[in-house]
């Protein structure tokens, strides 16, 4: 679903990222309900929408300093693949440390970052990309994706000693989200949707630590989709923090007070309004602006592991069938999506910044193959043709291997991974020396425009990626090639953890939806008393 379709749009940013505060028509509200419902895992975001329309173990914060940055990509053995994915995972998580705003923790482990924007109307959170703007919409999506990956692959995070780290990352994000609305009120009609603007924050080239200009807070009213996205992030995180009952309950309280909203997720008319079965150019392409593929995969999970039966079976079977169709569409044999000569699937149809979509699909494909394995199902059908789960996993590996360096440029698109990676990342803080000299708004332009590599390595940042011809220009001034984003790296982390480790480490069937089973199967009434003459 395009963000410009069937909506009245008030843009919050006049630069290259079209994050928006949206006033929805009644039809769009219905669309919104279904497109994001499953991403709340307990249908929590549905509650947030209804409310709105009616009225972040072992302490570890990133890879050890002595991890070998010159690790090169190998393709000869499966364990070498797993080593690559695990190393890349360590690095990809570090990107979030580099994006933190506010007063930083002592163990942030990014030497060139410091406290920043302490005078913001809402302090904390994450900078969205190479600038200093904070957007709730993509940040909420990023926290949801990270939480989803923890829920499914907690054991893998534990094995590589990153569970505490990723939970810290998520909590940093959800703490901020909780501060963007009045969480003491019974009813909220506004959200601080954005901090910063497309004016100064894009015109100026300054370290966030040195920002001295006014940063407006943009409030959003009647923006049910944003409320739902935030509710999804809080609900998903509440499952991640289930061992911290106080924090988990706090998150779930602000996401939903009524888990019976699962029923809304399975109303056929809502799915139809959402375009769940329409197809179209973005069908099957998960992004911060299109949650349908994720929702359908999650609802398929519900059917796989809990088989709730009537009255849910018919609509869940439909979602399951369409999830199978989506997985078929990814395979090169069906030619639904174009591919570059180097083999990169063009999920955004040749437009710039392709990698953020690629990593999300790699995650979905790997996760769905793990669902099938956990259900003791060897594969799935595309029409009369049967494909094994290995086909999906190999597809996902091909995408991630491309990003890690198996591409025509022989370049890793993750900063700090391998021997050859972008060194002119479109990122203000990474491009300006941390030399205790404060550069003014325009004084920093010399660092933006220099041909010299960035003085600071923003480890783990996945850049926007190559063009449709596999070409890449390592130029700081071209964000279409070299800018990383919060949402993009969240998808990368999810895909890497899904592919990492031993294939025998299965997902836990009971992490999602198990608490809803009593709602699906109400307690039966007691049997009648024995008959007496």
């Amino acid at each position: 679903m395009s963000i410009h379709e069937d909506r009245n749009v008030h843009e919050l940013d006049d630069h290259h990222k079209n994050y928006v505060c949206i006033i929805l028509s009644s039809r769009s509200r219905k669309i919104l309900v279904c497109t994001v419902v499953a991403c709340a895992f307990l249908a929590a975001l549905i509650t947030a929408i209804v409310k709105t329309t009616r009225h972040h173990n072992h302490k570890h914060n990133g890879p050890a300093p002595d991890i070998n940055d010159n690790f090169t990509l190998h393709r000869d053995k499966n364990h070498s693949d797993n080593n690559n994915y695990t190393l890349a995972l360590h690095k990809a998580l570090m990107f979030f440390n580099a994006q933190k705003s506010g007063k930083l923790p002592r163990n942030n482990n990014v030497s060139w970052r410091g406290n920043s924007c302490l005078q913001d109307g809402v302090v904390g959170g994450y900078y969205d990309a190479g600038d200093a703007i904070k957007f709730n919409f993509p940040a909420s999506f990023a926290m949801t994706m990270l939480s989803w990956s923890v829920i499914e692959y907690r054991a893998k995070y534990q094995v590589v000693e990153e569970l505490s780290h990723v939970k810290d990352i998520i909590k940093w994000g959800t703490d901020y989200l909780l501060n963007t609305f009045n969480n003491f009120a019974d009813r909220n009609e506004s959200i601080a949707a954005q901090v910063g603007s497309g004016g100064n924050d894009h015109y100026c080239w300054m370290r966030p630590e040195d920002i001295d200009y006014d940063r407006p807070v943009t409030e959003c009213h009647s923006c049910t989709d944003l409320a739902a996205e935030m509710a999804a992030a809080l609900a998903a995180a509440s499952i991640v923090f289930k061992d911290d009952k106080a924090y988990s309950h706090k998150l779930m309280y602000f996401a939903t007070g009524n888990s019976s909203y699962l029923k809304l997720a399975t109303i056929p008319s809502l799915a139809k309004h959402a375009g769940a079965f329409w197809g179209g150019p973005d069908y099957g392409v998960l992004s911060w602006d299109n949650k349908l593929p994720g929702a359908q995969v999650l609802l398929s999970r519900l059917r796989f592991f809990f088989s709730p039966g009537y009255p849910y079976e018919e609509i869940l079977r439909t979602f399951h069938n369409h999830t199978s169709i989506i997985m078929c569409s990814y395979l090169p044999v069906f030619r639904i999506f174009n591919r570059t000569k180097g083999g990169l699937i063009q999920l955004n149809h040749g437009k710039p910044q392709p990698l953020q979509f690629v990593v999300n699909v790699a995650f979905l494909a790997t996760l769905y193959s793990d669902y099938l394995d956990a259900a003791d199902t060897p594969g799935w059908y595309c029409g009369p043709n049967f494909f094994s789960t290995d086909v999906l996993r190999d597809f996902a590996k091909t995408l991630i291997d491309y990003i890690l360096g198996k591409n025509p440029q022989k370049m890793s698109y993750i900063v700090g991974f391998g021997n050859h990676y972008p060194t002119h990342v479109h990122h203000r803080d990474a491009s300006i020396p941390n030399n205790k000299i404060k550069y003014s708004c325009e004084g920093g332009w010399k660092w933006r425009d220099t041909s010299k590599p960035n003085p600071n390595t923003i480890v783990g940042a996945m850049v926007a990626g190559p063009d449709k011809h596999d070409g890449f220009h390592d130029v700081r001034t071209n964000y279409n090639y070299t800018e990383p984003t919060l949402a993009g790296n969240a998808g990368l982390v999810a895909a890497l953890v899904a592919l990492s480790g031993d294939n025998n480490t299965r997902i836990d069937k009971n992490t999602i939806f198990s608490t809803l089973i009593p709602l699906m199967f109400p307690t039966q009434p007691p049997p009648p008393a024995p008959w007496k003459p």
Side-chain angles (χ1 to χ4, degrees):
M1 184 173 64
S2 169
I3 200 159
H4 299 296
E5 292 177 3
D6 192 41
R7 307 185 188 186
N8 297 314
V9 178
H10 171 61
E11 295 202 8
L12 299 183
D13 177 24
D14 59 1
H15 193 40
H16 54 282
K17 292 181 287 293
N18 297 315
Y19 305 145
V20 296
C21 169
I22 300 169
I23 302 172
L24 298 177
S25 67
S26 60
R27 175 178 177 273
S28 294
R29 289 192 182 103
K30 294 176 182 177
I31 291 174
L32 186 277
V33 170
C34 188
T35 56
V36 295
V37 59
C39 287
F41 302 93
L42 300 174
L45 69 164
I46 295 298
T47 311
I49 299 170
V50 172
K51 287 179 179 178
T52 307
T53 55
R54 281 202 308 254
H55 321 233
H56 220 6
N57 293 1
H58 175 72
K59 194 66 178 177
H60 186 69
N61 282 80
D66 60 351
I67 281 183
N68 181 11
D69 282 349
N70 295 320
F71 191 93
T72 55
L73 184 67
H74 297 289
R75 289 287 297 146
D76 52 344
K77 297 180 181 179
N78 287 334
H79 77 269
S80 294
D81 286 340
N82 289 333
N83 287 342
N84 281 320
Y85 303 143
T86 300
L87 179 60
L89 174 63
H90 289 306
K91 294 178 181 295
L93 286 166
M94 282 300 296
F95 171 73
F96 293 90
N97 294 46
Q99 293 299 104
K100 287 181 178 179
S101 177
K103 183 176 176 58
L104 300 184
R106 291 185 178 182
N107 59 351
N108 196 52
N109 292 346
V110 182
S111 62
W112 43 274
R113 283 301 323 280
N115 299 337
S116 62
C117 296
L118 298 180
Q119 304 305 314
D120 279 355
V122 186
V123 177
Y126 290 99
Y127 301 122
D128 176 65
D131 48 34
I133 303 180
K134 298 185 292 194
F135 295 103
N136 282 25
F137 212 133
S140 296
F141 175 75
M143 296 306 107
T144 303
M145 287 293 287
L146 291 176
S147 293
W148 191 3
S149 74
V150 174
I151 293 165
E152 302 285 11
Y153 298 109
R154 178 180 290 259
K156 290 189 176 186
Y157 277 112
Q158 287 177 319
V159 168
V160 299
E161 297 185 337
E162 286 285 10
L163 182 58
S164 290
H165 186 196
V166 71
K167 289 175 68 176
D168 286 345
I169 291 169
I170 295 167
K171 190 174 186 299
W172 189 271
T174 53
D175 281 351
Y176 175 79
L177 293 177
L178 289 171
N179 287 331
T180 61
F181 61 93
N182 182 1
N183 53 48
F184 293 102
D186 293 331
R187 171 176 160 182
N188 279 284
E189 296 184 354
S190 68
I191 298 171
Q194 174 180 321
V195 177
S197 71
N200 282 336
D201 283 295
H202 285 141
Y203 179 77
C204 297
W205 198 265
M206 300 177 69
R207 300 178 70 240
E209 290 83 351
D210 295 333
I211 286 177
D212 55 5
Y213 52 77
D214 290 335
R215 286 165 52 80
V217 175
T218 304
E219 288 194 357
C220 184
H221 305 271
S222 302
C223 43
T224 54
D225 59 340
L226 177 57
E229 189 70 56
M230 291 170 60
L234 299 179
S238 75
I239 304 174
V240 171
F241 292 98
K242 61 185 180 181
D243 54 338
D244 182 345
K245 294 189 183 301
Y247 191 64
S248 178
H249 290 167
K250 179 180 181 181
L251 294 171
M252 183 57 78
Y253 174 79
F254 291 118
T256 176
N258 187 347
S259 57
S260 67
Y261 278 90
L262 176 68
K263 293 180 180 178
L264 284 177
T266 52
I267 295 176
S269 61
L270 292 180
K272 291 177 182 177
H273 277 296
F277 316 129
W278 290 351
D282 295 326
Y283 190 69
V285 183
L286 176 65
S287 71
W288 67 267
D289 187 32
N290 179 20
K291 316 308 181 309
L292 273 173
Q296 302 204 103
V297 168
L298 278 167
L299 290 169
S300 298
R301 186 195 211 280
L302 178 60
R303 184 173 187 251
F304 269 136
F305 303 139
F306 297 108
S307 300
Y310 180 84
Y312 305 100
E313 171 59 21
E314 183 177 355
I315 186 63
L316 291 180
R317 183 174 64 248
T318 303
F319 280 123
H320 186 178
N321 290 341
H322 278 265
T323 300
S324 295
I325 293 171
I326 287 171
M327 297 300 153
C328 296
S329 75
Y330 298 153
L331 304 183
V333 66
F334 295 108
R335 301 183 179 180
I336 303 300
F337 294 99
N338 292 330
R339 282 166 167 77
T340 67
K341 290 183 178 179
L344 186 67
I345 188 171
Q346 296 288 282
L347 294 160
N348 64 336
H349 313 290
K351 297 175 185 176
Q353 309 173 32
L355 297 188
Q356 60 180 307
F357 307 100
V358 169
V359 291
N360 291 338
V361 160
F363 171 63
L364 287 187
T366 306
L367 182 60
Y368 192 66
S369 73
D370 286 343
Y371 286 172
L372 290 168
D373 286 340
D376 295 320
T377 305
W380 85 110
Y381 281 94
C382 298
N385 304 304
F386 183 82
F387 293 90
S388 72
T389 56
D390 290 339
V391 172
L392 273 181
R393 182 170 285 271
D394 289 344
F395 160 73
K397 284 183 175 181
T398 298
L399 301 183
I400 298 303
D401 288 350
Y402 183 104
I403 294 172
L404 296 184
K406 191 176 175 61
N407 57 63
Q409 299 291 328
K410 295 180 170 36
M411 168 183 275
S412 163
Y413 291 116
I414 301 176
V415 177
F417 183 90
N419 295 314
H420 183 38
Y421 51 80
T423 58
H424 299 75
V425 180
H426 182 94
H427 192 277
R428 285 157 176 75
D429 227 339
S431 67
I432 301 176
N434 182 19
N435 56 9
K436 298 184 180 181
I437 297 176
K438 180 178 178 178
Y439 296 95
S440 67
C441 175
E442 297 177 356
W445 289 0
K446 69 175 184 178
W447 300 110
R448 179 193 65 191
D449 300 335
T450 180
S451 60
K452 295 179 180 179
N454 287 354
N456 306 311
T457 303
I458 184 164
V459 173
M462 183 183 74
V463 296
D467 57 33
K468 61 184 178 181
H469 304 295
D470 296 304
F472 182 79
H473 300 287
D474 190 6
V475 179
R476 189 178 299 108
T477 52
N478 194 329
Y479 54 81
N480 280 329
Y481 290 107
T482 59
E483 187 171 27
T485 65
L486 205 67
N489 254 70
L492 174 65
V493 166
L496 288 170
V497 72
L499 287 170
S500 68
D502 191 340
N503 287 354
N504 294 324
T505 304
R506 290 192 168 190
I507 61 167
D508 184 347
K509 299 178 183 180
N510 297 313
T511 53
I512 310 175
F513 298 129
S514 58
T515 57
L516 295 179
I517 299 307
L519 298 172
M520 299 178 186
F521 302 100
T523 302
Q524 296 297 315
W531 180 81
K532 293 181 180 180

